[in-house]
Amino acid sequence: MPTRTSSGTAGPPRRRDPDRGERILEAAARLAAGRGFHTVGMAEIGAEAGIVGSGIYRHFASKEAVLLALLDRGMARLEASAAAALAAGTPERETLTVLVADHIRLVTENRTEFAVYYGEVHTLPAEARRDLRRRQRHHVEDWVHVLAPLRPDLSDGELRVLVHACVGAIQSTLFFRSGLDQHRLVGLLGGLAHGLLGVDPVHR
């Protein structure tokens, strides 16, 4: 439906900013990463995103919906990255190198988003929490499937321990500032991750 201008004439229809939803999520992550999502108000999120707080409701039904969308986006990033690595059909060691490198890249480049994920996932309603935990388990199984042929000396349980240790080591950087530049941080995390898995990386 056309809108009316101040002169009363019909103007072009108002278009919703397609990037506004992303700006809202990024603003919520920045605010919540340092102090907890429960302390952040909708008006604050709106101000940080450059809109009025009530404008958020055009994109998200509630504050809880903002959090759920933010956490879902973080998990979706990990899933999409792993799916691409597995679909490439490369040998297992090369695939594992890509899984490690992509996980490090996602965590270090989106640290506020992932910090909120691991700080707030336990606050979600039970059904949403179970869904994200299920997706996390499937993500770990993708890694185990790739690692298993490279470490035939290990049982399934032992493989999962190594994968969890590897992922946990990478994600530990979410909770402190190392002061290292990105290149050095990525290099250290890559060496640590492969050391925990017991598999040398493929140098690309």
Side-chain angles (χ1 to χ4, degrees), residues 85-161:
L86 295 172
T90 55
E92 284 87 358
R93 193 159 73 93
E94 185 173 347
T95 301
L96 188 66
T97 298
V98 173
L99 285 172
V100 169
D102 283 354
H103 199 93
I104 292 171
R105 175 182 56 80
L106 287 171
V107 167
T108 57
E109 292 181 0
N110 303 279
R111 59 180 300 123
T112 55
E113 180 176 305
F114 282 105
V116 174
Y117 186 106
Y118 289 101
E120 302 290 341
V121 66
H122 68 283
T123 69
L124 291 176
E127 183 176 353
R129 188 170 63 250
R130 281 195 298 268
D131 179 63
L132 283 173
R133 296 298 192 196
R134 175 187 56 79
R135 291 164 67 185
Q136 286 178 338
R137 289 193 298 272
H138 288 175
H139 183 65
V140 167
E141 289 306 309
D142 285 340
W143 285 57
V144 169
H145 177 75
V146 175
L147 181 60
L150 301 170
R151 293 298 310 270
D153 55 312
L154 300 179
S155 67
D156 284 350
E158 290 169 328
L159 292 168
R160 290 185 184 89
V161 168

Side-chain angles (χ1 to χ4, degrees), residues 10-186:
R14 184 177 299 171
R15 295 182 180 179
R16 180 174 294 180
D17 181 355
D19 296 325
R20 183 173 290 179
E22 289 299 304
R23 293 209 312 272
I24 291 168
L25 294 180
E26 290 165 4
R30 287 194 298 272
L31 292 170
R35 58 191 246 214
F37 192 78
H38 67 284
T39 70
V40 178
M42 293 290 261
E44 288 182 274
I45 295 173
E48 182 74 10
I51 63 174
V52 296
S54 59
I56 297 174
Y57 293 102
R58 296 184 180 182
H59 301 269
F60 304 99
S62 64
K63 182 180 171 183
E64 181 181 278
V66 174
L67 178 60
L68 182 56
L70 181 61
L71 271 55
D72 179 77
R73 186 173 71 166
M75 191 67 236
R77 289 189 200 275
L78 295 176
E79 290 170 329
S81 175
L86 295 172
T90 55
E92 284 87 358
R93 193 159 73 93
E94 185 173 347
T95 301
L96 188 66
T97 298
V98 173
L99 285 172
V100 169
D102 283 354
H103 199 93
I104 292 171
R105 175 182 56 80
L106 287 171
V107 167
T108 57
E109 292 181 0
N110 303 279
R111 59 180 300 123
T112 55
E113 180 176 305
F114 282 105
V116 174
Y117 186 106
Y118 289 101
E120 302 290 341
V121 66
H122 68 283
T123 69
L124 291 176
E127 183 176 353
R129 188 170 63 250
R130 281 195 298 268
D131 179 63
L132 283 173
R133 296 298 192 196
R134 175 187 56 79
R135 291 164 67 185
Q136 286 178 338
R137 289 193 298 272
H138 288 175
H139 183 65
V140 167
E141 289 306 309
D142 285 340
W143 285 57
V144 169
H145 177 75
V146 175
L147 181 60
L150 301 170
R151 293 298 310 270
D153 55 312
L154 300 179
S155 67
D156 284 350
E158 290 169 328
L159 292 168
R160 290 185 184 89
V161 168
L162 294 192
V163 170
H164 278 287
C166 171
V167 171
I170 294 170
Q171 293 171 352
S172 69
T173 61
L174 296 171
F175 307 106
F176 69 97
R177 293 285 182 177
S178 68
L180 300 174
D181 63 59
Q182 180 74 0
H183 179 75
R184 180 58 175 155
L185 179 60
V186 167

